[in-house]
Amino acid sequence: MGYLSQSDHEIVSNAVAEAELTTSGEIVTVLADRSDAYDDVVLVWAAALAFSAMSLFAVLPQPFMDLWDSLVGGWSHVWTTGELASMTIALGLVAFVAGWLLLSWDPLRFALTPGPVKTARAHVRAIKHFKVGAERRTHGRTGVLLYLSMREHRAEIVADQPIAEIVPPEVWGEAMADMLAEIKQGHIALGLAAGVRDVGKVLSEHFPRAEDDENELPDRLIEV
């Protein structure tokens, strides 16, 4: 994927290590290329294109029939019901395959994926990463995940249950705003680092670091 250099990774890792100096909370950062392949979205668009082509033929059949006659030699003939049905099906299949091939190009696929779908898929993927990498993996269940999905332009902050019970979701708004402000300028590592620092401040208020606290999760940024 290669969104970040080694020095960028160090910026994020150092920010995590510094933020955890004052809290028993554990911060995990994940940078993803995408949250989903959206094959179902491609299928819907291809089916819609096929249905549109067949509907257009049903409404305006003559131009299609004239084109076909010219392609096979210019002789017109009386179309039978079976031939009309075959033409309708053929147009639908051609349109479906064409739509599928066009949407195999990632920029078009992501451009035609509705925003709410991207948001929902990014949220689901963030939850999955959190369950694997942070949930219940700390002594006091004090893990927080910062998730950034590049293709969708979506970010998520997911917290373990004890944290979620104390810190309302809107509190993470400042961390999200600071993170996205840098990322929108193309500074991915600095954006993640800013988000980490803000999350660390919140955790320090509610879960201060104990004398015997140990670093239970890796500080490094995970790229997937």
Side-chain angles (χ1 to χ4, degrees), residues 62-107:
Q62 196 60 49
F64 292 95
M65 292 187 291
D66 291 343
L67 176 62
W68 178 258
D69 287 338
S70 65
L71 291 175
V72 297
W75 296 98
S76 61
H77 68 278
V78 178
W79 286 71
T80 67
T81 302
E83 289 174 334
L84 289 173
S86 298
M87 176 65 78
T88 303
I89 295 172
L91 283 172
L93 288 174
V94 170
F96 183 89
V97 173
W100 186 274
L101 292 176
L102 285 172
L103 288 167
S104 65
W105 186 47
D106 277 348

Side-chain angles (χ1 to χ4, degrees), residues 52 115 197:
S52 298
R197 285 191 292 269

